[in-house]
């Protein structure tokens, strides 16, 4: 069945790898790639630019025009570090300004995208939505501490995904939500923290895109949110 796909945060390395692989799928006939500046040269791909404030997100979503039912959505946004902003290793490093920046990028903005995209997702065809979370957002798995704002923002995103899924199970029964942990991927986000990562656990964007797409293909529309990793293994919330 032909479908349209949406990729939010299309400027990221993983998102671009996802777009490349979607482009090769015959059943994916339309790709909406949303980013701040990224451009694409392919007739399947429509590039839209957005600054990610709520009004801009709403305006973009209001104007979306789909040729086919939306079958896959990827919300790839998030930050770990930015300029002077770094993960906090101790309590004294927490600052309100940095915490708000992290929460806006990792929790608020992805939630707004789902809010405004939701009217486009309901159809008679399956629609699978992946939001980029992280294993570090698991409350039950937190044995190391540190990285306060990043942990908390991803845990908050997980709660939003769970809560969205309860409502969508009533309103849009064709939608399946996934909180996805990509693992440590060789991108600018992880670059400062790669030194301690074993070579076989530092993944390419292409590998992560392949794993995510194959995972989405397997997931059933069951009215529940899933929290899973690159290896298709469930993570405890």
């Amino acid at each position: 069945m032909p479908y349209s796909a949406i990729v939010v945060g299309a400027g990221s390395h993983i998102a671009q790898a996802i777009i490349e692989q979607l482009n090769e799928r015959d059943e994916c006939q339309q790709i909406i790639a949303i980013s701040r500046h990224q451009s694409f040269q392919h007739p399947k791909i429509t590039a839209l630019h957005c600054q990610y404030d709520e009004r801009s997100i709403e305006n973009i979503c209001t104007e979306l025009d789909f040729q086919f039912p939306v079958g896959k959505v990827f919300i790839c946004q998030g930050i770990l570090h930015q300029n002077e902003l770094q993960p906090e290793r101790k309590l004294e490093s927490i600052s309100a300004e940095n915490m708000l920046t992290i929460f806006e990028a990792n929790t608020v903005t992805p939630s707004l995208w789902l809010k405004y995209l939701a009217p486009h997702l309901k159809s008679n065809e399956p629609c699978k939505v992946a939001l980029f979370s992280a294993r570090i957002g698991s409350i039950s798995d937190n044995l190391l501490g540190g990285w306060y704002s990043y942990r908390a923002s991803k845990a908050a995103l997980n709660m939003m995904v769970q809560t969205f899924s309860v409502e969508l199970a009533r309103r849009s029964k064709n939608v399946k939500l996934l909180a996805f942990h990509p693992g440590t991927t060789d991108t600018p986000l992880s670059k400062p923290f790669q030194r301690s990562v074993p070579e076989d656990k530092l993944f390419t964007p292409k590998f992560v895109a392949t794993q995510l797409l194959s995972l989405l293909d397997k997931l059933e529309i069951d009215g529940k949110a899933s929290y899973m990793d690159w290896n298709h293994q469930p993570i405890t919330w």
Side-chain angles (χ1 to χ4, degrees):
M1 178 73 184
Y3 65 84
S4 297
I6 306 168
V7 182
V8 177
S12 77
H13 288 64
I14 296 176
Q16 290 180 55
I18 290 169
I19 290 168
E20 288 178 8
Q21 295 188 31
L22 287 172
N23 208 16
E24 295 171 356
R25 292 187 168 201
D26 291 338
E27 66 273 21
C28 182
Q29 290 289 303
Q30 179 188 26
I31 303 168
I32 305 293
I34 303 171
S35 69
R36 285 189 169 88
H37 310 293
Q38 192 70 34
S39 60
F40 298 88
Q41 301 297 323
H42 193 280
K44 268 192 193 181
I45 305 171
T46 301
L48 300 176
H49 296 154
C50 180
Q51 293 307 308
Y52 300 140
D53 60 278
E54 183 167 6
R55 179 173 293 181
S56 298
I57 293 171
E58 182 180 12
N59 289 341
I60 285 276
C61 293
T62 299
E63 296 170 3
L64 288 175
D65 182 26
F66 295 102
Q67 301 167 9
F68 304 93
V70 178
K72 289 186 171 60
V73 181
F74 304 86
I75 300 178
C76 307
Q77 287 179 300
I79 61 172
L80 173 57
H81 58 89
Q82 189 177 74
N83 301 324
E84 299 301 314
L85 189 159
Q86 296 292 326
E88 313 96 336
R89 299 185 183 278
K90 56 184 179 179
L91 185 63
E92 290 80 3
S93 300
I94 295 173
S95 83
E97 182 180 1
N98 288 350
M99 182 173 278
L100 289 170
T101 298
I102 291 286
F103 266 79
E104 181 176 15
N106 293 347
T107 310
V108 177
T109 301
S111 298
L112 289 174
W113 278 113
L114 193 54
K115 169 187 173 180
Y116 288 109
L117 286 172
H120 298 291
L121 307 185
K122 185 176 181 178
S123 76
N124 293 323
E125 299 299 326
C127 177
K128 299 174 182 180
V129 182
L131 297 97
F132 275 53
S133 184
R135 189 184 305 276
I136 203 170
S138 168
I139 293 175
S140 58
D141 190 58
N142 182 4
L143 303 177
L144 298 177
W147 292 37
Y148 287 90
S149 298
Y150 188 73
R151 276 188 192 278
S153 68
K154 292 298 187 179
L157 176 63
N158 289 347
M159 179 59 80
M160 295 299 288
V161 171
Q162 278 274 37
T163 308
F164 279 131
S165 72
V166 173
E167 182 171 354
L168 292 178
R170 298 192 299 267
R171 295 176 48 185
S172 302
K173 297 182 184 298
N174 65 307
V175 176
K176 169 70 175 182
L177 298 184
L178 168 68
F180 178 65
H181 169 59
T184 304
T185 311
D186 190 10
T187 66
L189 183 142
S190 69
K191 190 69 70 176
F193 312 100
Q194 292 179 7
R195 186 176 302 172
S196 61
V197 179
E199 187 174 343
D200 63 341
K201 288 295 188 290
L202 181 62
F203 306 132
T204 66
K206 180 179 179 180
F207 172 79
V208 173
T210 299
Q211 293 299 103
L212 174 54
L213 285 167
S214 63
L215 173 58
L216 289 179
D217 289 341
K218 295 176 182 178
L219 288 179
E220 297 182 359
I221 307 295
D222 57 4
K224 300 177 182 178
S226 293
Y227 181 23
M228 302 183 76
D229 69 11
W230 58 272
N231 199 29
H232 300 189
Q233 296 303 304
I235 303 171
T236 57
W237 296 93

